Amino acid sequence: MIYFDHAATTRVLPEAAQAACQVMTEDYGNPSSLHALGKQAAQRVEEDRRTLAQALGCQPGELYFTSCGTEGDNWAVRLAVHLGRHRGKHIITTAVEHAAVLEPCKELEQQGYSVTYLTPDRTGRVPAEAVEEALREDTVLVSMMLVNNETGALQPVGEVSRLLRGRRSAALLHTDAVQGFLKVPFTPKSLGADLLTLSAHKIGGLKGSGALYIRSGLRAEPLLRGGGQEKGLRSGTEPTPQIAAFAAAARLGAQRQSEHIAYLHDLKAYTLDLLRAQVPGLTVVSEGDAPHICAVSLPGRPSQVVVRFLSDRGICLSAGSACHRGKASHVYGAMNLSKAVRDGMLRISFAPSNTREEADALAQALTAATRELVAAGR
Ligand code: PLP
C-alpha cells in the first residue's frame, strides 16, 4: 500500500510503540499511587513531559496532557473566553480552522459571543492585516492555526502576536499547531502564543493523545474536575502509554527535524513537478508552505471517485480532512475556487517514509484516472 495521507494520521513509530508497550506491560503503575510502581510511573510522566517540552521549546510546567488535539482546541477556546469574560465577547478566528476550533466558536455564538471568521485567499492564507482590521476593544481571543491541514498553508501567527502587542490588545492568542509541530520550526515563544494545541498521532505517537501549552502566568481553569491530576486542571488518571509514545515520537522527530523538513520539501516539489508535467488537466491549488501537505485538483472529476479509483490501485490519499467524512470541505469552500476545482480536490500529504518511486506511481495512477474516468463518462 502506498500512503499519502499522513496529515490524517501517520504510522506509529516503532520506538513510540515500544515505549507504550513497556509502560503498558512493565511500568504500569498509576502515577497517583504511593507505592514504588506508582512513583516510577509518576517519574516517567514527568520525564516524558520534559522530553516533549524540549521538543516544543517551552517549560515542562506549561504542558498539560490531553486526550487529543480536539480536546486541546476546545479547552483553549473555552479557557480564553472564560479568562476574558469581564472584558468582552468578541472572538477572531479563521474560516479555515479545524472543526475542533470552529464548533466551540459556534457554540459560543449561541451564548451571545460575536465571532469574526476571517476568509483566506485562493491559496488558503489569511493575512495578518485581516486580524488587525477585525480587532476590537472587546476581542478576548484570536485563534489562528499554524499550518492548515488541507492546504499546508502557513498562517502568520507570529505577526498576529506582534500586532496584538503593538495595539496593546489584551486578547489571548491561541494557535492550533497540530499540523505544524516538527514540520515547521517554531516555539510557543517565537510565535507569541498564549495557548497552543498539539496532537500525538500526527507525529508518530498514538491516537487519542495530545497536549495543550498554557503560557506560564495564565491563570488556567480546570477542564475536568476530579482527582486533581495535571496540577488540578485536567483530572483523570494519566494515559501513561500514550504519553510515553508521544514523548518518544517527539524526541525522535526533534532530533531529525531539519533533515526531515529538507527531505519533505524536496519530495513534495518533485511530486508536484511530476503531476504538473504528466497528469492532463491537473491544477495545483496549494503548494503548501509546510513541507508535508499540498492540494491539487482534477477539475470536473469528483474527488470521491478519484480517491476510490486510487485506493483500488493501492494508493491512499484524501479529498481533504478525514473529519469531513465525505461532506464538502469548509476549507476549500472558503477559498473562492470554482465549483469544478472544488469538487475535484485531492490532498496529498507526505512523511519521511515516502519515496520518489511512490510519487511516480501516484502520477501514473492519476494519469490513468483522467483517462479511465473520462472513458467511463464520470
Ligand atoms: N487540528 C488540526 C489542524 C488537525 O489536523 C486535527 C486532526 O485532524 C486536529 C486538530 C484534531 O486532532 P485529534 O485528531 O488529535 O483530535
Side-chain angles (χ1 to χ4, degrees), residues 326-348:
K327 283 185 285 167
S329 152
H330 66 279
V331 175
Y332 302 143
M335 286 165 62
N336 198 19
L337 305 168
S338 72
K339 184 171 178 337
V341 169
R342 228 169 40 231
D343 290 349
M345 290 298 296
L346 299 168
R347 174 183 69 180
I348 311 170

Side-chain angles (χ1 to χ4, degrees), residues 7-8 67-71 73 98 100 145 147-149 176 178-179 197-202 208-209 321 323:
S67 72
C68 54
T70 300
E71 180 182 315
D73 280 345
H98 191 273
M145 70 199 323
V147 169
N148 184 269
N149 47 314
D176 171 339
V178 165
Q179 295 288 350
T197 308
L198 301 177
S199 171
H201 73 104
K202 312 292 185 179
S209 167
S321 162
C323 300

